[in-house]
Amino acid sequence: MQDLQQLLGQEADTLLNHRCTAIPKENLYLPGPDYIDRVFAQNDRSPAVLRAYQQIIDHGRLAGTGYISILPVDQGVEHSAGASFAVNPQYFDPENIVKLAIEGGCNAVASTYGVLASVARKYAHKIPFLVKLNHNETLTLPPLHDQTMFATVEQAFDLGAVAVGATIYFGAPESRRQIEEVAAAFTRAHELGMLTVLWAYLRNPAYKHDGVDYHSAADLTGQANHLAVTIGADIVKQKQAVNNDGYRKIGFGNTDDLVYSKLTTDHPIDLTRYQLANCYMGRIGLINSGGAAGGANDKAESVRTAVINKRAGGMGLILGRKCFKKPFDEGVALLHAVQDVYLDKSITIA
């Protein structure tokens, strides 16, 4: 991997040497080779769910570390297939999505029911499948920001998936319905012995206030995480926090000044740690999303995100667009660069 100091640039010292004092690492349940036995097995999930989780943890380049690297490709629905795959038409073929995850050393591949079902007999036993159950399609005009169920838990189970995922747009008018739908789906998944992953995103125009976007604020995304684990998410996928103080700046909801004076600082690792604290202090794992593809800086941005996630106590990264919008070998190399962060024992918990 390219020199870590060079990739992190001027932030290298503060990101690699920061020590969290607001919420000390001693208060957390951290990833590790024994995470299932030490942490996750304390809850009410069945032995079949524990087995599914262990299968994911034991796969890929990060096998045995307790950390997770997932390739997610549901953009063919979420952003349109043309917008997602025109730069690399090979990914119109679902097999190449799965091949990228395998060559990239991922713990699992996450995609739509259609994508994974089309290659299930060839690959479901070669890499753990995570079926994304709901999506926001882009053919509706005027645009509608909602999540609709595209598949059932039973369909995911029948094709050999070990996990299901779903998105809730917390804060959106439709979120109450989405909460009910996803909670019911996750209950059924647990009955069938499957792991559950929630994309716990915020979506409300009012979260942009005075020119500042608080959709990735630590306090608001932290509460979204808390709601996610409340309805049975085993892993929470969240955008990494980039700011804070959304409650007070927007002027709604309930918070406490101690959140800002004692539990957080403006350091990115502290902001992400607050996100993790809302995942029951790490009893439920936090994976951060990789964000949009940006071009030449994708590698540096992805490694930075991974360093922050790991040092905050998170469980890993779910990285998609930055990989499949590049030539195949470059996508594999980017996945490996992120995984190298979690394999590097010198990068410690802050």
Side-chain angles (χ1 to χ4, degrees):
M1 185 174 73
Q2 186 177 346
D3 181 72
L4 184 62
Q5 298 274 344
Q6 182 179 348
L7 286 170
L8 297 177
Q10 295 181 348
E11 290 186 294
D13 181 64
T14 185
L15 292 181
L16 295 174
N17 298 311
H18 177 72
R19 179 171 175 265
C20 291
T21 57
I23 301 175
K25 63 182 180 181
E26 290 78 14
N27 293 354
L28 304 175
Y29 298 90
L30 296 168
D34 61 345
Y35 180 80
I36 300 298
D37 292 333
R38 174 172 47 87
V39 180
F40 197 74
Q42 295 181 29
N43 66 33
D44 67 348
R45 307 301 193 260
S46 71
V49 175
L50 303 185
R51 180 181 61 192
Y53 206 162
Q54 192 70 56
Q55 184 177 347
I56 291 174
I57 287 179
D58 285 345
H59 195 85
R61 292 183 74 232
L62 298 183
T65 65
Y67 290 107
I68 294 174
S69 168
I70 298 176
L71 176 74
V73 186
D74 62 350
Q75 283 82 3
V77 175
E78 296 278 349
H79 299 275
S80 91
S84 302
F85 305 137
V87 66
N88 278 327
Q90 63 181 326
Y91 292 117
F92 280 105
D93 181 353
E95 184 171 15
N96 289 319
I97 293 173
V98 179
K99 284 182 176 179
L100 177 60
I102 292 174
E103 291 298 317
C106 293
N107 299 73
V109 57
S111 195
T112 66
Y113 168 74
V115 163
L116 296 178
S118 70
V119 294
R121 290 187 181 273
K122 185 173 183 179
Y123 289 105
H125 58 293
K126 296 178 181 178
I127 184 172
F129 278 10
L130 189 166
V131 174
K132 182 73 167 22
L133 298 174
N134 64 1
H135 307 284
N136 178 29
E137 54 80 21
T138 55
L139 280 177
T140 303
L141 192 66
L144 178 66
H145 298 296
D146 195 5
Q147 289 284 325
T148 302
M149 287 290 182
F150 274 59
T152 67
V153 175
E154 287 79 9
Q155 286 176 301
F157 179 80
D158 288 343
L159 68 79
V162 302
V164 296
T167 297
I168 293 177
Y169 286 152
F170 291 107
E174 300 82 8
S175 64
R176 295 295 179 91
R177 191 205 77 245
Q178 294 168 15
I179 290 169
E180 293 179 357
E181 288 177 348
V182 173
F186 282 6
T187 297
R188 181 58 177 149
H190 287 150
E191 290 173 350
L192 293 174
M194 304 173 76
L195 200 70
T196 59
V197 182
L198 188 71
W199 280 238
Y201 289 166
L202 302 178
R203 186 62 60 89
N204 191 316
Y207 290 170
K208 296 180 179 180
H209 183 71
D210 286 343
V212 180
D213 190 344
Y214 292 100
H215 280 92
S216 298
D219 54 349
L220 300 183
T221 54
Q223 180 59 20
N225 290 358
H226 194 80
L227 296 175
V229 298
T230 299
I231 65 170
D234 299 321
I235 298 173
V236 177
K237 177 191 176 188
Q238 184 57 263
K239 297 177 181 178
Q240 200 162 79
V242 298
N243 54 23
N244 203 3
D245 210 13
Y247 274 118
R248 298 191 302 184
K249 295 295 186 183
I250 299 171
F252 84 110
N254 301 292
T255 188
D256 191 303
D257 288 345
L258 290 173
V259 170
Y260 314 101
S261 64
K262 183 177 180 180
L263 299 183
T264 61
T265 71
D266 60 359
H267 196 285
I269 295 175
D270 288 341
L271 296 179
T272 301
R273 179 155 295 181
Y274 186 73
Q275 291 180 325
L276 179 65
N278 279 277
C279 296
Y280 295 165
M281 285 292 191
R283 288 182 182 270
I284 299 299
L286 170 68
I287 57 176
N288 286 129
S289 54
N297 293 327
D298 282 350
K299 185 176 182 180
E301 291 175 358
S302 300
V303 167
R304 178 185 185 274
T305 303
V307 168
I308 292 170
N309 174 271
K310 181 181 181 182
R311 299 212 69 224
M315 183 170 277
L317 231 58
I318 182 163
L319 190 68
R321 281 171 286 177
K322 283 182 167 65
C323 299
F324 69 76
K325 288 202 170 187
K326 289 180 170 53
F328 188 89
D329 290 345
E330 291 183 24
V332 169
L334 182 53
L335 287 167
H336 287 179
V338 165
Q339 293 157 8
D340 287 344
V341 171
Y342 295 96
L343 293 170
D344 189 341
K345 294 183 179 179
S346 71
I347 302 175
T348 59
I349 309 301

